[in-house]
Amino acid sequence: MAATQTLFGKNLQELATLCNELKMPRFAARQIARWLYVRRIEDPMRMTDIAAASRKLLAEQFPPACSAPEHESCSADGTKKYLFRTLEGHFIESAYIPDGDRATLCVSSQAGCRMGCRFCATGRQGLQQSLSPAEILNQVVSIPESDRLTNLVFMGMGEPLDNPENVLRALEILTADWGFAWSPTRITLSTAGVLPQIERLLEESKVHLAVSLHNPFHDERAEIMPVEKVWPIARVVEILRRYDFTHQRRVSFEYIVMSGLNDSPRHIRELSRLLNGIKCRINLIRFHKIPDSPYFSPDTEAMIRFRDALTARGIQTTIRASRGEDIQAACGLLSTRAKNEI
């Protein structure tokens, strides 16, 4: 058995298979899952309702997966950014965002990203590693505020649907009754539009979906988001029309507003045409400047005008507040490129 395998991050079926291989009773799989995900005990030697010989065998074969963040940065607005080292030695960042009675963790799914979006600091560093389920879940359980979390957003480093197996496994563990038992309505996954993995996500999970749109015109979107050349946003929207978003599950579209680039009246008209008939929300995000970027942030008045124009066309539109910009934790700013190059 590979030394890099860990108990933490395995789903119930994998634990059952493991118990069978180790000649343990099948019901031990649920016992292990309860220790790992309900009691949050990773050390097999502390799993007291499992036979002593089995505990010893598990402890010998499976090293710990969970580790505390290596660094914490605190914003003036209460946001915190945590730096984690992966099992392969790369770095990722997560952002903890308190807001009244809500506490959201922005989770990373990869170290770096290969989508290459021109406005994103993570995209500039390229892809170092796709995270395992254990490395994804470690971000949730290993921050000091873990017990306060009310919401998770897969909007950190990486494209979640470029790592579908491990992300879906993490979502299963998060939402299963034998796992963390989170409601899927408390989790949102963001994607740049990776087909056919969007369909798989919608079939295999019940979490909310957020699509990074940023420009409704094919040629213009392709200039800032290379993914458009492979999976055009028009095809993504066509797929979404097949699903019902009128009940508990929501779909939203993220739209980073760049002054003079994607905020004109013709963009408003095309957005209205593209999304016509889909029950959705557009979240407007002010562009956050990254070094050597040719793009510019709009002022508050321009953001309000853009929002009001979309609202007038019947699209529910909100302006997302920027959080953690002073510690490089806001949308598009997460990057560990310098640390990964050490």
Side-chain angles (χ1 to χ4, degrees):
M1 192 171 293
T4 54
Q5 286 197 32
T6 60
L7 276 180
F8 186 79
K10 289 186 180 296
N11 65 11
L12 193 60
Q13 181 58 52
E14 290 173 313
L15 291 173
T17 299
L18 174 66
C19 288
N20 182 61
E21 292 173 352
L22 298 182
K23 311 302 182 188
M24 296 171 61
R26 188 173 179 84
F27 64 78
R30 280 194 174 268
Q31 292 176 306
I32 296 171
R34 182 170 178 80
W35 283 106
L36 292 173
Y37 308 125
V38 179
R39 296 173 178 168
R40 299 194 183 187
I41 299 295
E42 189 185 6
D43 181 2
M45 298 306 293
R46 297 176 61 189
M47 299 178 182
T48 52
D49 57 358
I50 293 174
S54 296
R55 277 183 273 158
K56 184 173 184 295
L57 194 58
L58 291 172
E60 289 172 349
Q61 295 197 28
F62 295 99
C66 296
S67 60
E70 296 203 351
H71 187 263
E72 172 186 327
S73 303
C74 299
S75 168
D77 65 22
T79 299
K80 294 183 180 180
K81 183 171 70 171
Y82 289 103
L83 177 74
F84 291 90
R85 187 191 297 267
T86 73
L87 296 175
E88 293 186 16
H90 299 296
F91 292 94
I92 57 168
E93 293 177 327
S94 309
Y96 169 75
I97 309 165
D99 184 17
D101 59 357
R102 290 168 58 95
T104 301
L105 184 67
C106 184
V107 178
S108 291
S109 56
Q110 295 178 313
C113 182
R114 65 174 178 171
M115 295 296 106
C117 297
R118 309 292 185 228
F119 47 82
C120 179
T122 308
R124 286 189 173 187
Q125 74 178 71
L127 177 64
Q128 282 79 51
Q129 174 198 342
S130 287
L131 302 188
S132 68
E135 290 167 329
I136 294 170
L137 296 170
N138 180 56
Q139 298 166 72
V140 179
V141 302
S142 294
I143 63 170
E145 300 85 0
S146 179
D147 290 338
R148 303 181 205 167
L149 293 175
T150 62
N151 297 83
L152 298 176
V153 292
F154 281 69
M155 298 181 181
M157 299 177 67
E159 162 56 62
L161 297 186
D162 190 38
N163 184 18
E165 298 296 337
N166 292 334
V167 167
L168 285 168
R169 188 66 46 83
L171 289 175
E172 178 189 6
I173 294 168
L174 283 166
T175 58
D177 59 356
W178 48 261
F180 291 103
W182 276 62
S183 167
T185 61
R186 295 166 58 195
I187 303 173
T188 301
L189 182 143
S190 177
T191 177
V194 178
L195 293 175
Q197 301 300 341
I198 287 179
E199 293 179 278
R200 184 178 175 191
L201 173 77
L202 292 173
E203 295 293 339
E204 296 185 19
S205 84
K206 296 181 180 179
V207 302
H208 298 314
L209 177 67
V211 178
S212 297
L213 203 164
H214 311 315
N215 201 306
F217 293 106
H218 173 73
D219 291 343
E220 294 180 18
R221 189 171 189 261
E223 282 293 316
I224 60 173
M225 299 180 69
V227 68
E228 174 72 13
K229 300 172 184 176
V230 183
W231 296 298
I233 191 62
R235 284 183 56 199
V236 174
V237 171
E238 180 183 344
I239 293 295
L240 295 179
R241 290 187 190 281
R242 304 175 190 171
Y243 292 86
D244 183 6
F245 295 104
T246 60
H247 299 292
Q248 286 192 320
R249 170 177 264 171
R250 298 193 306 266
V251 62
S252 59
F253 292 88
E254 311 296 303
Y255 199 93
I256 294 177
V257 183
M258 291 166 269
S259 184
L261 185 73
N262 64 352
D263 59 350
S264 72
R266 69 185 183 88
H267 290 95
I268 293 168
R269 291 192 296 271
E270 184 62 12
L271 279 169
S272 179
R273 186 201 65 78
L274 179 69
L275 303 181
N276 183 47
I278 297 179
K279 183 176 174 57
C280 65
R281 175 198 300 265
I282 293 181
N283 291 316
L284 300 181
I285 305 163
R286 178 175 58 82
F287 171 66
H288 299 111
K289 188 72 173 177
I290 57 178
D292 304 318
S293 169
Y295 310 125
F296 296 92
S297 304
D299 58 29
T300 301
E301 291 74 18
M303 292 286 289
I304 292 173
R305 285 195 302 271
F306 198 67
R307 178 200 64 191
D308 291 349
L310 286 167
T311 300
R313 287 179 168 265
I315 303 176
Q316 185 179 8
T317 306
T318 58
I319 298 174
R320 185 190 294 171
S322 293
R323 298 291 302 273
E325 189 171 1
D326 57 333
I327 57 169
Q328 302 294 294
C331 181
L333 297 183
L334 295 181
S335 176
T336 57
R337 181 174 182 175
K339 298 178 182 65
N340 280 307
E341 290 176 349
I342 293 174

